[in-house]
Amino acid sequence: MSDNQHHIISDVVQDVRNISQDRDEVSVGSVVTNLGQVSQAGLMLLPALIAATPLSGIPGLTSVCGLMIAIIAGQMVFGRTKLWLPQWILRRHVDADNLRDALDKSDGAIRFLDRHTHRRWYVFVRQPGRTVIKLVCLICGLTMPFLELLPFTGSLMGGVVALLSISLLTKDGLFAILGLSLLAIAGGVIVYFL
């Protein structure tokens, strides 16, 4: 396994950290532009991680993250290679200090993921499993705006998409299974609150 493959998750997060340096606010458009070389799964990982962190407490942020996830996953399902996001999402921004703080708090988890992800259980992340994962991410993203009213459920869905994105990025089927398991837990929590 190459060193680049081994650090793919921390590389994406570090790129976002670099973008946020010397800025008061970070727009979605600046992140997408600066991460243009990252795969769509890498771009989908970012809003999922944001939704799974305390930043999700900012009103409306979980909804925007969910819509970004749905748009990216939908384009992945249909095989679109050039990512398109609506201007109103590209203009959305977060406070750079809050973003850096959230990324700093996730450092331990990111290092853990870099150490423990590798190509395994590939049967779950090759076709048709890859398409199923993308469809699940699409559905999770579409439900996140509605779940913002239920405590922690949007963050759980963000966690599901983060795990599934990691499985696509690293070709690690274990993380696909973990993501689907968390989806089952999230489903139970949603049913409980309803």
Side-chain angles (χ1 to χ4, degrees), residues 60-151:
L61 188 60
T62 300
S63 294
V64 171
C65 289
L67 291 173
M68 282 183 63
I69 289 166
I71 291 168
I72 295 168
Q75 291 176 72
M76 291 171 71
V77 166
F78 290 105
R80 186 178 169 101
T81 55
K82 186 172 166 118
L83 179 66
W84 172 87
L85 288 171
Q87 284 299 314
W88 68 269
I89 288 182
L90 293 172
R91 286 191 301 266
R92 292 290 299 213
H93 59 269
V94 295
D95 180 81
D97 289 334
N98 289 342
L99 178 60
R100 284 190 297 270
D101 186 48
L103 293 174
D104 290 344
K105 288 179 180 173
S106 68
D107 271 345
I110 298 300
R111 282 194 302 273
F112 174 86
L113 289 170
D114 276 338
R115 284 193 311 270
H116 293 93
T117 54
H118 55 88
R119 186 174 169 153
R120 65 182 146 194
W121 299 4
Y122 185 63
V123 68
F124 295 108
V125 290
R126 67 178 185 185
Q127 291 297 4
R130 289 182 75 78
T131 301
V132 170
I133 290 170
K134 294 170 189 176
L135 283 169
V136 170
C137 291
L138 171 62
I139 292 166
C140 288
L142 289 173
T143 61
M144 285 170 68
F146 301 102
L147 296 176
E148 196 157 0
L149 300 174
L150 299 175

XYZ file of all heavy atoms in Angstrom, residues 60-151:
744
model
N -29.388 25.120 10.555
C -29.383 25.035 9.101
C -28.174 24.353 8.503
O -28.206 23.933 7.346
N -27.090 24.210 9.276
C -25.867 23.636 8.706
C -26.048 22.160 8.357
O -25.579 21.705 7.304
C -24.680 23.815 9.653
C -23.321 23.411 9.070
C -22.991 24.244 7.834
C -22.227 23.561 10.110
N -26.753 21.412 9.195
C -26.989 19.996 8.902
C -27.805 19.855 7.621
O -27.548 18.957 6.809
C -27.709 19.311 10.077
O -26.883 19.413 11.241
C -27.975 17.846 9.797
N -28.769 20.750 7.413
C -29.573 20.705 6.185
C -28.712 20.962 4.956
O -28.823 20.255 3.948
C -30.695 21.742 6.245
O -31.608 21.417 7.261
N -27.840 21.966 5.028
C -26.966 22.273 3.896
C -26.023 21.102 3.636
O -25.818 20.700 2.483
C -26.177 23.578 4.147
C -25.108 23.792 3.082
C -27.130 24.765 4.185
N -25.458 20.529 4.708
C -24.568 19.366 4.546
C -25.323 18.205 3.901
O -24.804 17.530 3.005
C -23.991 18.943 5.891
S -22.779 20.092 6.562
N -26.550 17.968 4.350
C -27.356 16.893 3.786
C -27.638 17.093 2.308
O -27.542 16.153 1.507
N -27.979 18.331 1.940
C -28.244 18.607 0.535
C -26.981 18.458 -0.306
O -27.033 17.937 -1.427
C -28.835 20.008 0.378
C -30.249 20.168 0.939
C -30.680 21.628 0.901
C -31.236 19.286 0.194
N -25.827 18.891 0.230
C -24.566 18.691 -0.496
C -24.290 17.208 -0.701
O -23.911 16.774 -1.796
C -23.405 19.325 0.279
C -23.308 20.810 0.143
S -21.874 21.453 1.026
C -20.529 20.655 0.147
N -24.487 16.432 0.362
C -24.266 14.985 0.270
C -25.183 14.387 -0.796
O -24.749 13.589 -1.639
C -24.496 14.313 1.644
C -23.358 14.693 2.599
C -24.628 12.804 1.504
C -23.647 14.381 4.058
N -26.464 14.771 -0.763
C -27.423 14.221 -1.727
C -27.047 14.584 -3.158
O -27.106 13.740 -4.061
C -28.833 14.727 -1.394
N -26.644 15.840 -3.382
C -26.279 16.274 -4.733
C -25.033 15.538 -5.228
O -24.985 15.059 -6.364
C -26.083 17.806 -4.772
C -27.430 18.505 -4.573
C -25.444 18.242 -6.089
C -27.325 19.995 -4.315
N -24.030 15.420 -4.357
C -22.792 14.729 -4.757
C -23.069 13.250 -4.991
O -22.668 12.678 -6.010
C -21.688 14.927 -3.700
C -21.282 16.404 -3.628
C -20.471 14.051 -4.015
C -20.406 16.757 -2.433
N -23.779 12.604 -4.046
C -24.071 11.174 -4.181
C -24.927 10.904 -5.407
O -24.709 9.914 -6.124
C -24.754 10.650 -2.919
N -25.899 11.774 -5.669
C -26.745 11.600 -6.854
C -25.934 11.632 -8.138
O -26.147 10.823 -9.044
N -24.983 12.557 -8.204
C -24.129 12.635 -9.392
C -23.215 11.414 -9.490
O -22.915 10.945 -10.591
C -23.317 13.929 -9.361
C -24.212 15.155 -9.566
C -23.470 16.457 -9.448
O -22.691 16.807 -10.318
N -23.714 17.169 -8.358
N -22.794 10.891 -8.334
C -21.972 9.676 -8.348
C -22.778 8.488 -8.851
O -22.270 7.670 -9.628
C -21.426 9.399 -6.939
C -20.392 10.400 -6.470
S -19.972 10.208 -4.722
C -19.061 8.675 -4.752
N -24.040 8.382 -8.418
C -24.899 7.271 -8.843
C -25.047 7.276 -10.356
O -25.011 6.225 -11.003
C -26.287 7.353 -8.152
C -27.290 6.422 -8.820
C -26.164 7.039 -6.665
N -25.208 8.475 -10.933
C -25.425 8.567 -12.379
C -24.137 8.667 -13.178
O -24.159 8.884 -14.390
C -26.364 9.737 -12.694
C -27.770 9.471 -12.233
C -28.268 10.094 -11.101
C -28.567 8.557 -12.903
C -29.561 9.831 -10.658
C -29.861 8.287 -12.463
C -30.356 8.929 -11.344
N -22.990 8.521 -12.503
C -21.713 8.453 -13.192
C -21.195 9.782 -13.711
O -20.325 9.806 -14.577
N -21.699 10.870 -13.175
C -21.216 12.192 -13.613
C -19.805 12.391 -13.090
O -19.539 12.204 -11.903
C -22.157 13.272 -13.099
C -21.844 14.648 -13.614
C -22.878 15.644 -13.088
N -22.454 16.993 -13.355
C -22.914 17.740 -14.333
N -23.824 17.249 -15.159
N -22.481 18.966 -14.497
N -18.889 12.797 -13.955
C -17.495 12.955 -13.539
C -17.172 14.372 -13.084
O -16.292 14.575 -12.260
C -16.539 12.564 -14.681
O -16.868 13.329 -15.839
C -16.647 11.079 -14.988
N -17.865 15.366 -13.624
C -17.629 16.758 -13.219
C -18.702 17.158 -12.220
O -19.892 17.122 -12.513
C -17.654 17.673 -14.438
C -17.281 19.096 -14.102
C -17.138 19.911 -15.364
C -17.112 21.370 -14.967
N -15.949 22.058 -15.270
N -18.269 17.547 -11.030
C -19.199 17.870 -9.953
C -19.867 19.216 -10.187
O -19.213 20.196 -10.532
C -18.454 17.890 -8.614
C -19.299 18.233 -7.397
C -20.329 17.143 -7.132
C -18.417 18.432 -6.179
N -21.176 19.255 -9.990
C -21.939 20.498 -10.048
C -22.643 20.698 -8.714
O -23.232 19.759 -8.160
C -22.981 20.437 -11.159
C -23.917 21.618 -11.122
C -23.719 22.822 -11.706
C -25.174 21.698 -10.443
N -24.780 23.664 -11.435
C -25.685 22.995 -10.655
C -25.905 20.802 -9.663
C -26.897 23.424 -10.123
C -27.119 21.229 -9.122
C -27.595 22.531 -9.362
N -22.549 21.903 -8.165
C -23.298 22.292 -6.974
C -23.975 23.619 -7.259
O -23.399 24.486 -7.929
C -22.373 22.444 -5.753
C -21.805 21.169 -5.155
C -20.746 21.496 -4.112
C -22.900 20.314 -4.535
N -25.198 23.819 -6.747
C -25.875 25.097 -6.990
C -25.141 26.253 -6.320
O -24.481 26.083 -5.298
C -27.270 24.893 -6.379
C -27.185 23.683 -5.532
C -26.015 22.883 -5.979
N -25.277 27.436 -6.906
C -24.572 28.619 -6.407
C -24.927 28.933 -4.957
O -24.068 29.371 -4.195
C -24.870 29.833 -7.299
C -24.136 29.821 -8.619
C -22.629 29.830 -8.432
O -22.074 30.585 -7.646
N -21.949 28.947 -9.162
N -26.184 28.712 -4.556
C -26.553 29.060 -3.183
C -25.818 28.183 -2.172
O -25.566 28.614 -1.049
C -28.071 29.027 -2.984
C -28.692 27.667 -3.053
C -29.187 27.039 -4.155
C -28.882 26.767 -1.953
N -29.663 25.796 -3.811
C -29.492 25.608 -2.464
C -28.601 26.833 -0.585
C -29.832 24.523 -1.663
C -28.934 25.748 0.211
C -29.550 24.607 -0.330
N -25.445 26.968 -2.557
C -24.636 26.125 -1.667
C -23.181 26.581 -1.728
O -22.511 26.680 -0.703
C -24.770 24.631 -2.025
C -26.163 24.124 -1.619
C -23.680 23.804 -1.346
C -26.397 22.658 -1.867
N -22.686 26.878 -2.919
C -21.292 27.310 -3.058
C -21.019 28.607 -2.290
O -19.913 28.831 -1.816
C -20.934 27.489 -4.538
C -20.899 26.205 -5.374
C -20.719 26.534 -6.843
C -19.817 25.258 -4.874
N -22.038 29.452 -2.151
C -21.872 30.719 -1.424
C -21.970 30.560 0.092
O -21.602 31.469 0.830
C -22.919 31.739 -1.892
C -22.623 32.315 -3.261
C -23.525 33.500 -3.556
N -24.931 33.154 -3.523
C -25.658 32.808 -4.583
N -25.101 32.786 -5.779
N -26.922 32.517 -4.469
N -22.494 29.440 0.570
C -22.604 29.216 2.017
C -21.211 29.191 2.623
O -20.247 28.758 1.997
C -23.318 27.893 2.326
C -24.776 27.839 1.973
C -25.610 28.689 2.864
N -25.522 28.267 4.243
C -26.494 28.352 5.112
N -27.652 28.837 4.768
N -26.323 27.958 6.346
N -21.106 29.640 3.860
C -19.799 29.682 4.508
C -19.929 29.359 5.994
O -21.020 29.415 6.560
C -19.152 31.059 4.319
C -19.989 32.170 4.869
N -20.910 32.823 4.102
C -20.056 32.705 6.108
C -21.518 33.732 4.847
N -21.019 33.680 6.063
N -18.799 28.987 6.564
C -18.714 28.757 8.006
C -17.558 29.590 8.549
O -16.639 29.965 7.809
C -18.495 27.261 8.359
C -19.679 26.427 7.956
C -17.228 26.729 7.744
N -17.624 29.873 9.825
C -16.557 30.593 10.494
C -15.282 29.750 10.450
O -15.301 28.568 10.819
C -16.974 30.885 11.936
C -15.901 31.643 12.680
O -15.831 32.870 12.512
O -15.124 30.985 13.422
N -14.194 30.321 9.991
C -12.940 29.575 9.819
C -12.412 29.055 11.156
O -11.894 27.935 11.218
C -11.892 30.445 9.136
N -12.544 29.845 12.233
C -12.078 29.385 13.541
C -12.861 28.170 14.005
O -12.281 27.211 14.535
C -12.191 30.504 14.586
C -11.163 31.605 14.363
O -10.096 31.311 13.773
O -11.437 32.751 14.768
N -14.190 28.196 13.809
C -15.012 27.044 14.191
C -14.653 25.811 13.365
O -14.611 24.696 13.883
C -16.500 27.359 14.029
C -17.009 28.328 15.066
O -16.375 28.534 16.101
N -18.140 28.941 14.790
N -14.395 26.021 12.080
C -14.021 24.906 11.213
C -12.694 24.307 11.651
O -12.564 23.080 11.785
C -13.947 25.375 9.763
C -13.527 24.327 8.734
C -14.497 23.160 8.715
C -13.405 24.959 7.350
N -11.701 25.167 11.902
C -10.393 24.656 12.347
C -10.523 23.937 13.687
O -9.897 22.891 13.902
C -9.384 25.799 12.439
C -8.865 26.262 11.092
C -7.699 27.231 11.232
N -8.065 28.463 11.916
C -8.522 29.550 11.305
N -8.669 29.559 9.998
N -8.821 30.625 11.999
N -11.345 24.472 14.592
C -11.546 23.839 15.889
C -12.159 22.445 15.726
O -11.726 21.483 16.357
C -12.434 24.723 16.767
C -12.552 24.195 18.178
O -11.504 23.858 18.779
O -13.686 24.118 18.691
N -13.164 22.339 14.857
C -13.796 21.035 14.612
C -12.799 20.055 13.997
O -12.760 18.875 14.364
C -15.011 21.207 13.706
N -11.973 20.540 13.066
C -10.965 19.676 12.450
C -9.918 19.250 13.474
O -9.486 18.087 13.479
C -10.297 20.386 11.269
C -11.184 20.664 10.060
C -10.437 21.490 9.024
C -11.706 19.378 9.445
N -9.527 20.172 14.344
C -8.553 19.833 15.390
C -9.102 18.757 16.318
O -8.383 17.844 16.717
C -8.165 21.074 16.196
C -7.312 22.058 15.392
O -6.785 21.648 14.341
O -7.208 23.218 15.825
N -10.378 18.873 16.661
C -10.997 17.879 17.554
C -11.113 16.517 16.888
O -11.204 15.502 17.568
C -12.370 18.366 18.011
C -12.288 19.502 19.004
C -13.657 19.986 19.415
C -13.501 21.115 20.417
N -14.774 21.763 20.751
N -11.123 16.497 15.568
C -11.239 15.221 14.862
C -9.883 14.595 14.543
O -9.822 13.508 13.982
C -12.041 15.405 13.573
O -11.316 16.184 12.643
N -8.779 15.268 14.917
C -7.439 14.769 14.582
C -7.195 13.337 15.051
O -6.654 12.515 14.313
C -6.356 15.680 15.153
C -5.981 16.799 14.204
O -6.349 16.706 13.013
O -5.333 17.758 14.654
N -7.573 13.053 16.283
C -7.356 11.701 16.810
C -8.096 10.657 15.996
O -7.541 9.598 15.668
N -9.336 10.955 15.661
C -10.130 10.011 14.868
C -9.543 9.853 13.469
O -9.494 8.736 12.935
C -11.574 10.491 14.789
N -9.076 10.950 12.890
C -8.488 10.890 11.544
C -7.222 10.041 11.546
O -7.011 9.206 10.660
C -8.197 12.306 11.009
C -9.489 13.123 10.888
C -7.444 12.260 9.702
C -10.516 12.557 9.966
N -6.375 10.251 12.556
C -5.144 9.437 12.647
C -5.489 7.955 12.832
O -4.850 7.084 12.247
C -4.262 9.939 13.789
C -3.488 11.190 13.438
C -2.370 11.474 14.437
N -2.847 11.610 15.804
C -3.292 12.746 16.344
N -3.321 13.843 15.616
N -3.690 12.771 17.587
N -6.507 7.680 13.648
C -6.959 6.304 13.846
C -7.401 5.696 12.512
O -7.031 4.572 12.167
C -8.111 6.264 14.857
C -8.722 4.909 15.017
C -8.174 3.994 15.905
C -9.839 4.538 14.274
C -8.734 2.725 16.048
C -10.400 3.282 14.411
C -9.849 2.369 15.307
N -8.187 6.460 11.758
C -8.668 5.956 10.469
C -7.518 5.712 9.510
O -7.497 4.703 8.796
C -9.665 6.947 9.861
C -11.012 7.032 10.569
C -11.823 8.204 10.028
C -11.784 5.734 10.433
N -6.560 6.619 9.471
C -5.402 6.422 8.589
C -4.630 5.152 8.937
O -4.132 4.461 8.049
C -4.464 7.628 8.650
C -4.898 8.749 7.726
O -5.628 8.477 6.759
O -4.503 9.895 7.974
N -4.533 4.862 10.221
C -3.802 3.654 10.640
C -4.590 2.376 10.365
O -3.996 1.328 10.140
C -3.484 3.722 12.140
C -2.350 4.649 12.495
C -1.885 4.444 13.931
N -2.957 4.421 14.908
C -3.438 5.495 15.546
N -2.959 6.697 15.279
N -4.397 5.363 16.432
N -5.911 2.452 10.404
C -6.709 1.226 10.388
C -7.523 0.994 9.121
O -8.257 0.013 9.043
C -7.629 1.194 11.609
C -6.871 1.060 12.885
N -6.473 2.153 13.623
C -6.396 -0.024 13.528
C -5.810 1.740 14.685
N -5.735 0.436 14.654
N -7.428 1.878 8.140
C -8.135 1.612 6.881
C -7.159 1.054 5.857
O -6.034 1.510 5.744
C -8.784 2.897 6.305
O -7.793 3.916 6.193
C -9.927 3.378 7.165
N -7.604 0.054 5.177
C -6.851 -0.521 4.061
C -7.805 -1.383 3.248
O -8.938 -1.630 3.659
C -5.638 -1.327 4.538
C -5.971 -2.404 5.516
N -6.325 -3.666 5.128
C -6.018 -2.392 6.872
C -6.563 -4.409 6.200
N -6.404 -3.662 7.266
N -7.360 -1.799 2.097
C -8.221 -2.586 1.214
C -8.483 -3.957 1.846
O -7.565 -4.752 2.017
C -7.564 -2.741 -0.145
C -8.460 -3.422 -1.136
C -7.829 -3.421 -2.495
N -8.578 -4.286 -3.369
C -8.642 -4.143 -4.664
N -7.971 -3.184 -5.242
N -9.339 -4.962 -5.391
N -9.726 -4.182 2.191
C -10.159 -5.473 2.733
C -11.650 -5.627 2.481
O -12.347 -4.658 2.233
C -9.849 -5.585 4.229
C -10.609 -4.596 5.072
C -10.264 -4.665 6.535
N -10.347 -3.323 7.065
C -9.870 -2.946 8.213
N -9.244 -3.789 8.978
N -9.996 -1.703 8.608
N -12.111 -6.828 2.554
C -13.529 -7.142 2.336
C -14.040 -6.408 1.100
O -15.118 -5.826 1.090
C -14.372 -6.806 3.551
C -14.013 -7.551 4.796
C -12.981 -8.422 4.976
C -14.675 -7.461 6.049
N -12.959 -8.878 6.258
C -13.994 -8.304 6.942
C -15.761 -6.743 6.504
C -14.384 -8.468 8.262
C -16.149 -6.901 7.815
C -15.470 -7.762 8.686
N -13.220 -6.445 0.064
C -13.468 -5.669 -1.147
C -14.807 -5.999 -1.788
O -15.396 -5.167 -2.482
C -12.316 -5.888 -2.136
C -12.412 -5.035 -3.361
C -12.347 -3.646 -3.265
C -12.579 -5.604 -4.622
C -12.432 -2.843 -4.391
C -12.658 -4.811 -5.756
C -12.595 -3.442 -5.628
O -12.683 -2.648 -6.742
N -15.337 -7.182 -1.517
C -16.609 -7.583 -2.107
C -17.717 -6.582 -1.783
O -18.645 -6.394 -2.563
C -16.997 -9.015 -1.653
C -17.317 -9.058 -0.161
C -18.160 -9.546 -2.469
N -17.599 -5.881 -0.655
C -18.635 -4.930 -0.244
C -18.500 -3.557 -0.924
O -19.447 -2.774 -0.892
C -18.630 -4.744 1.271
C -19.001 -5.997 2.011
C -18.044 -6.719 2.708
C -20.297 -6.468 2.001
C -18.377 -7.876 3.385
C -20.650 -7.623 2.667
C -19.682 -8.334 3.358
N -17.335 -3.271 -1.502
C -17.134 -1.953 -2.105
C -16.888 -2.011 -3.614
O -16.586 -0.999 -4.228
C -15.985 -1.169 -1.406
C -16.398 -0.762 -0.016
C -14.698 -1.969 -1.390
N -17.011 -3.185 -4.202
C -16.967 -3.264 -5.663
C -18.411 -3.310 -6.166
O -19.348 -3.401 -5.380
C -16.177 -4.478 -6.128
C -16.844 -5.780 -5.793
C -16.062 -6.951 -6.320
N -16.834 -8.153 -6.046
C -16.424 -9.358 -6.281
N -15.234 -9.548 -6.795
N -17.182 -10.383 -6.009
N -18.588 -3.228 -7.462
C -19.949 -3.250 -8.007
C -20.587 -4.606 -7.750
O -19.901 -5.614 -7.794
C -19.930 -2.963 -9.515
C -19.563 -1.565 -9.856
C -20.555 -0.523 -9.338
O -21.518 -0.822 -8.639
N -20.303 0.721 -9.673
N -21.867 -4.679 -7.407
C -22.824 -3.582 -7.324
C -22.836 -2.863 -5.961
O -23.602 -1.926 -5.767
C -24.162 -4.263 -7.564
C -23.974 -5.621 -6.954
C -22.524 -5.984 -7.226
N -21.959 -3.305 -5.037
C -21.929 -2.705 -3.704
C -21.642 -1.216 -3.722
O -22.225 -0.454 -2.942
N -20.762 -0.759 -4.617
C -20.438 0.678 -4.699
C -21.689 1.501 -5.011
O -21.917 2.556 -4.434
C -19.365 0.941 -5.752
C -17.991 0.458 -5.371
C -16.949 0.794 -6.420
N -16.567 2.192 -6.418
C -15.735 2.737 -5.530
N -15.217 1.998 -4.577
N -15.420 4.013 -5.610
N -22.502 1.002 -5.938
C -23.726 1.722 -6.294
C -24.693 1.747 -5.123
O -25.335 2.773 -4.855
C -24.380 1.098 -7.541
O -23.443 1.160 -8.629
C -25.650 1.826 -7.923
N -24.790 0.639 -4.396
C -25.666 0.593 -3.213
C -25.188 1.616 -2.178
O -25.997 2.359 -1.602
C -25.707 -0.832 -2.610
C -26.411 -0.839 -1.265
C -26.371 -1.805 -3.571
N -23.881 1.690 -1.953
C -23.327 2.654 -0.993
C -23.674 4.081 -1.417
O -24.094 4.910 -0.605
C -21.806 2.467 -0.854
C -21.498 1.150 -0.129
C -21.165 3.645 -0.130
C -20.041 0.755 -0.159
N -23.523 4.383 -2.693
C -23.838 5.722 -3.196
C -25.321 6.039 -3.027
O -25.693 7.165 -2.657
C -23.420 5.838 -4.666
C -21.919 5.748 -4.887
C -21.593 5.625 -6.363
C -20.129 5.321 -6.581
N -19.812 5.108 -8.008
N -26.183 5.048 -3.287
C -27.628 5.248 -3.105
C -27.973 5.488 -1.640
O -28.809 6.343 -1.326
C -28.401 4.038 -3.637
C -28.543 3.948 -5.152
C -29.090 2.581 -5.559
C -29.428 5.064 -5.684
N -27.338 4.748 -0.746
C -27.577 4.952 0.695
C -27.144 6.360 1.093
O -27.850 7.049 1.843
C -26.857 3.869 1.534
C -26.882 4.213 3.020
C -27.485 2.501 1.298
N -25.998 6.814 0.589
C -25.542 8.182 0.879
C -26.536 9.205 0.350
O -26.828 10.202 1.029
C -24.157 8.424 0.278
S -22.829 7.501 1.085
N -27.069 8.978 -0.839
C -28.064 9.873 -1.420
C -29.292 9.960 -0.515
O -29.775 11.056 -0.195
C -28.457 9.379 -2.813
C -29.638 10.058 -3.504
C -29.364 11.534 -3.736
C -29.950 9.361 -4.821
N -29.793 8.821 -0.066
C -30.983 8.787 0.795
C -30.701 9.462 2.134
O -31.513 10.244 2.639
C -31.467 7.329 0.973
C -31.997 6.805 -0.367
C -32.537 7.235 2.062
C -32.194 5.309 -0.413
N -29.524 9.178 2.705
C -29.159 9.817 3.976
C -29.115 11.331 3.828
O -29.632 12.067 4.677
C -27.805 9.303 4.468
S -27.815 7.617 5.072
N -28.490 11.793 2.742
C -28.404 13.235 2.507
C -29.772 13.872 2.364
O -30.026 14.956 2.900
N -30.688 13.190 1.663
C -32.033 13.735 1.475
C -32.822 13.789 2.780
O -33.676 14.660 2.949
C -32.791 12.899 0.439
C -32.321 13.035 -1.011
C -33.042 12.032 -1.903
C -32.523 14.460 -1.517
N -32.546 12.870 3.697
C -33.299 12.860 4.960
C -32.742 13.843 5.991
O -33.469 14.256 6.898
C -33.314 11.449 5.588
O -31.977 11.039 5.878
C -33.995 10.441 4.683
N -31.485 14.234 5.859
C -30.849 15.070 6.885
C -31.561 16.402 7.142
O -31.694 16.805 8.299
C -29.376 15.277 6.569
C -28.539 14.038 6.873
S -26.837 14.125 6.268
C -26.156 15.392 7.331
N -32.050 17.116 6.116
C -32.763 18.362 6.426
C -33.998 18.139 7.295
O -34.333 18.966 8.140
C -33.155 18.900 5.037
C -32.136 18.320 4.115
C -31.848 16.956 4.675
N -34.683 17.014 7.113
C -35.877 16.723 7.899
C -35.528 16.289 9.323
O -36.324 16.437 10.238
C -36.712 15.635 7.218
C -37.142 16.023 5.829
C -36.491 15.508 4.721
C -38.173 16.928 5.632
C -36.870 15.879 3.440
C -38.563 17.307 4.354
C -37.910 16.776 3.254
N -34.331 15.735 9.484
C -33.919 15.216 10.792
C -33.325 16.289 11.693
O -33.037 16.017 12.852
C -32.898 14.088 10.608
C -33.423 12.856 9.885
C -32.307 11.845 9.683
C -34.572 12.227 10.652
N -33.158 17.487 11.169
C -32.551 18.544 11.973
C -33.387 18.847 13.222
O -32.872 19.324 14.224
C -32.366 19.812 11.129
C -31.428 20.778 11.767
C -30.795 21.741 10.785
O -31.080 21.668 9.583
O -30.004 22.566 11.249
N -34.668 18.531 13.174
C -35.550 18.784 14.316
C -35.394 17.728 15.412
O -35.792 17.965 16.552
C -37.008 18.820 13.846
C -37.324 19.893 12.793
C -38.754 19.743 12.295
C -37.087 21.279 13.364
N -34.862 16.552 15.060
C -34.677 15.478 16.041
C -33.240 15.503 16.541
O -32.309 15.429 15.734
C -34.990 14.116 15.423
C -36.413 13.909 14.913
C -36.535 12.556 14.231
C -37.418 14.022 16.044
N -33.034 15.582 17.856
C -31.673 15.693 18.400
C -30.757 14.551 17.939
O -31.149 13.385 17.981
C -31.882 15.630 19.913
C -33.323 15.915 20.141
C -34.048 15.522 18.891
